[in-house]
């Protein structure tokens, strides 16, 4: 069993760290809000540290799941960052969704310090984290991936090594493109069925068994129709992810006209007060509710 430092106890990080405890690892947690770390330890065990550097000092593995590029840079390379106190040979796994640029930068810093680095963003939302059923897309060396995979099995159901440094983050961008487009398709389909006076439960029964079926349709059609949007991944985080995606597309030349439009649709939801609602709230643009 490994000594693991876990940095970030948000809606994704807290259950992932809990799965590591359940798997028998010794886990030291750090959270920017110290009271949250103390409460987590009181409930689940392990220990907490006042800084990322303190958490990482005796760790075999350091895992992060924070907010954005600047947050990740702070907990790794900041004045109290984990990299400053990690021993040679330590494994670093980052589950934050960030830019490919910072993933590659941390990998370079890691090589200079003899630290194995893996960028490993996740998909599956809060429910996937709670149930240990996340999809994890990984970028880094074969050695880093082989070292990290047994650890990630505690909360990952599908773990794929995509390629070298940054490729995990690029894959997460492809994932978010597909999700945003699927959500809008379901929203428009449901809106059309409602305006046409159809029984939407029967419509779902009819079309979810054919080629129109998607995870978003099966899991969000009914909740969309009920106006319920409290299912984890918030609009403000999707906007962050789509911003990263569109920035990367400008660099690599990919044409993403519909994704760019959907980013603006999500901006409309934010203006409607829905920044903390989940991504299926896109239907509010159509219903005006």
């Amino acid at each position: 069993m490994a000594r693991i430092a876990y940095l970030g106890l948000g809606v994704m990080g807290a259950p992932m760290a809990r799965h590591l405890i359940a798997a028998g690892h010794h886990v030291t947690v750090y959270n920017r809000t110290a009271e949250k770390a103390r409460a987590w330890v009181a409930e689940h065990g392990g220990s907490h540290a006042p800084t990322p550097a303190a958490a990482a000092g005796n760790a075999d593995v350091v895992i992060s799941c924070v907010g954005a590029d600047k947050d990740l840079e702070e907990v790794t390379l900041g004045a109290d960052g984990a990299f400053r106190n990690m021993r040679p040979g330590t494994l670093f796994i980052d589950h934050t969704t960030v830019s490919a640029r910072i993933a590659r930068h941390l990998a370079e810093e890691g090589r200079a310090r003899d630290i194995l680095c893996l960028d490993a963003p996740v998909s599956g939302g809060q429910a996937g984290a709670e149930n240990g059923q996340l999809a994890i897309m990984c970028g880094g060396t074969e050695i880093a991936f082989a070292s990290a995979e047994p650890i990630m099995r505690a909360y990952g159901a599908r773990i794929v090594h995509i390629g070298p440094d940054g490729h995990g983050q690029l894959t997460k961008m492809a994932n978010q493109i597909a999700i945003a487009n699927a959500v809008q398709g379901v929203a428009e389909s449901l809106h059309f069925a409602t305006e046409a006076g159809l029984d939407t439960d029967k419509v779902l029964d009819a079309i979810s068994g054919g080629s129109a079926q998607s995870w978003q349709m099966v899991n969000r059609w009914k909740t969309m129709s009920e106006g319920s949007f409290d299912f984890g991944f918030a609009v403000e985080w999707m906007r962050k992810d789509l911003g990263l995606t569109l920035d990367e597309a400008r660099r690599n030349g990919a044409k993403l006209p519909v994704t760019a439009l959907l980013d603006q649709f999500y901006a409309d939801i934010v203006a409607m007060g829905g920044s903390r609602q989940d991504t299926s709230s896109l239907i509010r643009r159509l219903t005006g509710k």
Side-chain angles (χ1 to χ4, degrees), residues 229-265:
F229 308 115
D230 186 23
F231 296 95
F233 193 67
V235 166
E236 64 181 355
W237 292 112
M238 177 59 91
R239 286 219 72 208
K240 181 208 76 169
D241 293 358
L242 292 181
L244 293 170
T245 302
L246 294 168
D247 284 346
E248 188 65 37
R250 282 187 281 272
R251 281 189 286 271
N252 68 24
K255 298 176 178 62
L256 304 178
V258 178
T259 302
L261 183 61
L262 290 172
D263 181 52
Q264 293 307 302
F265 286 178

Side-chain angles (χ1 to χ4, degrees), residues 71-217:
D71 305 300
L72 179 58
E73 188 167 24
E74 181 181 348
V75 300
T76 54
L77 303 176
D80 292 314
F83 275 33
R84 299 181 179 277
N85 210 25
M86 289 166 67
R87 297 167 299 158
T90 303
L91 171 65
F92 174 68
I93 306 168
D94 177 44
H95 290 310
T96 317
T97 296
V98 289
S99 67
R101 177 200 61 79
I102 194 169
R104 295 184 183 115
H105 178 57
L106 290 177
E108 291 172 3
E109 289 285 339
R111 279 189 286 274
R113 302 164 190 257
D114 195 22
I115 296 169
L116 291 172
C117 292
L118 197 75
D119 57 285
V122 301
S123 183
Q126 185 176 355
E130 293 284 355
N131 297 325
Q133 294 293 306
L134 291 168
I136 308 176
M137 46 219 84
C138 305
T141 64
E142 292 281 358
I143 294 173
F145 178 74
S147 300
E149 185 178 18
I151 301 292
M152 297 187 293
R153 286 288 172 202
Y155 43 78
R158 182 186 295 265
I159 305 172
V160 181
H161 185 208
I162 306 297
D165 306 325
H167 279 210
Q169 296 299 342
L170 294 173
T171 302
K172 180 62 181 286
M173 295 173 196
N175 182 80
Q176 301 306 74
I177 293 167
I179 288 176
N181 281 265
V183 172
Q184 180 66 12
V186 173
E188 292 189 17
S189 178
L190 173 59
H191 180 60
F192 175 85
T194 302
E195 294 301 304
L198 301 176
D199 182 322
T200 56
D201 288 341
K202 290 182 177 179
V203 173
L204 175 61
D205 188 38
I207 71 176
S208 63
S211 58
Q213 188 271 340
S214 69
W215 188 97
Q216 297 294 337
M217 177 178 287

